[in-house]
Amino acid sequence: MQDLRTEPQKPAFRSGFVAIIGRPNVGKSTLINVLLGQKVAAVSPRPQTTRRRQLGILTRPNAQLVFVDTPGVHQARHKLGEFMNEEAEGSLEGADAILWLVDLTSDPTEDDLHIAGLLGNPRRKPALLLAANKLDLVAEGRATEQLQKYLALLPPGAESVLISAARGDGLEHLVELLAERCPVGEAEYDDEQITDLYEREIAADLIREAALLKLREEVPHGLGVRMDEYKERENGLDYIRATLLVERESQKAIVIGEGAKMLKQIGTEARRQIETMTGRRAYLELRVKVEKGLRNKESVLEQLGYKSRR
Ligand code: GDP
Ligand code: MG
C-alpha cells in the first residue's frame, strides 16, 4: 500500500520591505536596534535624531524583513522638515508592509492624526500593522484602552500588537505578523548583512546623537555633522575627522563649551559609541563650524547626506 503521509511542509520563505512609520520619539530606532541586536539607528531621548532613510535587515530561517526607518513625520516648517516628510511618504509607497509605531504612554497627537491620514489614503495599500510600544510603562488595563484610541483612527479591521522594544515583549509575535504580510520570495540581501549604510555614515549619526545627548536643551535643531575623513588603519586604530555644523556663532560657543569641555565630552561619548559599533578602536577629531541658514540650504542638506542617494 502506498504511504500517503508526507514530510510536514516547510513554510515558504518570505521576503519584503517593512516601512516603519511613527511620530518622533515613539521608539522606531530602538525597535530596529533591538531586532537587529546591534546599534544601527541612532536612538535619542530627544526627537528627530533619524534624518535619513536607513535599512535594517533582519534575516530569520523563514523570512527576511528589510526595515526602512523613516524620518519623523511632523509639520514641515523648514526645508529640512519638508524633506523628512517626503522621505517618509516615499518609503510607504515602496513597502510590502507598513508598521505604524505608536506610544502607549500618550494619547494620539496631531502628528499621529496626520500619519493615520496618510495611512488611510495611500495610492498603493501595503498591509498595515499597528504596534503600540512602551508596554513596560503602562498598567495592563490602560494598555488596551490606549490601543483602542489609536485603532479608532484606522479603518475597521486593522490589526495590532502590544510591544515593548525596551523590555522585548511581543517582538517575536511582531516579526511573525510582519513576515506573514510579506510576499513569498527569496532574500534580497546576504543573511550576514544588517544594514546598507557604511560605517562612516553610521558614525556620523552616532556623533550627532552624542552631541544631542550632551547638549540637551541647548541643542540647535539644525545641528549637522560632516564627515571629513574616515580611515580604517591596519593597526586597528581608525582615524576619524568630522565637523559639527551649527547655524550661529552663539551656538558654536555652546557646542565648544568653556575650555572646550563640552566638545571633549561629545567627542568621548561619540568615540565610545563608534568603537562599540565597529569593534575597533578609534581616534576622533571633532571641529565646530558655523554654516549660516543651514536648515534652508538644499545644497548643504545634500552635502550632509540628508538627500536620499537614490
Ligand atoms: P524614534 O524617534 O521613534 O526613533 O525613537 P527612539 O528609538 O529614539 O526612542 C525615543 C525614546 O524612547 C528613547 O529614550 C528610548 O530609549 C525610549 N524607548 C523606546 N522604546 C521604549 C520602550 O519600549 N520602553 C521604554 N520605557 N522606553 C522606550
Ligand atoms: Mg529614530
Side-chain angles (χ1 to χ4, degrees):
M1 229 183 113
Q2 208 184 339
D3 188 353
L4 293 174
R5 283 174 304 177
T6 49
E7 287 289 305
Q9 194 77 39
K10 231 177 107 187
F13 194 88
R14 288 175 183 270
S15 158
F17 281 82
V18 178
I20 301 195
I21 193 163
R23 65 171 174 78
N25 232 19
V26 294
K28 298 179 294 297
S29 300
T30 305
L31 177 65
I32 291 186
N33 290 335
V34 169
L35 288 176
L36 301 181
Q38 189 178 331
K39 198 149 191 159
V40 175
V43 181
S44 164
R46 291 180 57 80
Q48 287 185 37
T49 304
T50 310
R51 305 194 132 180
R52 217 177 316 109
R53 193 186 292 196
Q54 299 184 338
L55 298 186
I57 304 159
L58 177 69
T59 309
R60 290 288 167 86
N62 64 334
Q64 181 171 79
L65 301 176
V66 181
F67 290 97
V68 186
D69 183 17
T70 54
V73 176
H74 64 114
Q75 253 72 45
R77 283 182 211 98
H78 305 274
K79 276 262 164 22
L80 188 55
E82 262 169 49
F83 164 66
M84 287 162 80
N85 270 339
E86 274 168 32
E87 279 281 283
E89 286 169 39
S91 49
L92 290 182
E93 270 170 45
D96 295 296
I98 298 173
L99 176 63
W100 180 23
L101 201 62
V102 300
D103 185 340
L104 283 169
T105 64
S106 102
D107 284 351
T109 66
E110 198 103 339
D111 283 342
D112 289 310
L113 292 174
H114 176 64
I115 292 171
L118 276 180
L119 295 177
N121 187 25
R123 270 164 284 186
R124 232 186 109 240
K125 277 205 173 94
L128 173 68
L129 183 67
L130 171 69
N133 190 30
K134 308 196 185 180
L135 185 60
D136 55 299
L137 295 181
V138 295
E140 217 171 282
R142 176 135 188 275
T144 353
E145 214 172 277
Q146 288 296 97
L147 176 63
Q148 289 310 320
K149 295 181 187 165
Y150 287 96
L151 278 172
L153 304 177
L154 291 173
E159 283 200 73
S160 64
V161 56
L162 292 168
I163 63 166
S164 164
R167 203 169 60 185
D169 309 19
L171 299 187
E172 277 315 305
H173 188 214
L174 172 70
V175 168
E176 261 169 49
L177 290 173
L178 289 172
E180 279 171 15
R181 282 160 177 71
C182 289
V184 172
E186 283 173 26
E188 293 253 348
Y189 297 91
D190 198 276
D191 57 9
E192 302 274 291
Q193 195 178 342
I194 61 158
T195 178
D196 73 332
L197 282 184
Y198 295 109
E199 278 180 354
R200 66 177 280 157
E201 296 177 81
I202 301 174
D205 266 4
L206 292 174
I207 292 169
R208 191 161 183 281
E209 183 188 13
L212 293 182
L213 189 78
K214 294 291 173 193
L215 289 163
R216 293 171 194 276
E217 296 311 309
E218 296 161 299
V219 160
H221 243 37
L223 184 88
V225 175
R226 190 183 67 206
M227 292 301 271
D228 301 313
E229 208 174 343
Y230 192 114
K231 256 200 227 133
E232 229 181 275
R233 284 176 173 160
E234 292 292 320
N235 65 7
L237 183 70
D238 296 348
Y239 178 75
I240 304 164
R241 201 156 52 79
T243 305
L244 290 167
L245 299 171
V246 293
E247 292 187 294
R248 286 189 291 277
E249 286 295 338
S250 59
Q251 296 168 338
K252 181 176 170 179
I254 293 171
V255 174
I256 294 175
E258 254 185 66
K261 232 169 149 184
M262 175 56 82
L263 190 60
K264 254 179 230 158
Q265 280 184 31
I266 293 170
T268 303
E269 172 67 18
R271 181 175 51 76
R272 217 168 46 81
Q273 296 290 344
I274 291 169
E275 288 178 338
T276 306
M277 184 247 318
T278 61
R280 296 186 303 271
R281 289 196 306 128
Y283 175 83
L284 174 63
E285 201 177 300
L286 279 186
R287 275 156 221 242
V288 189
K289 192 171 171 258
V290 178
E291 190 88 54
K292 293 218 166 62
L294 182 61
R295 271 192 273 189
N296 285 318
K297 262 196 224 159
E298 292 274 349
S299 64
V300 178
L301 292 182
E302 223 154 324
Q303 189 192 334
L304 296 178
Y306 295 159
K307 281 282 174 188
S308 80
R309 285 168 290 128
R310 274 170 300 166

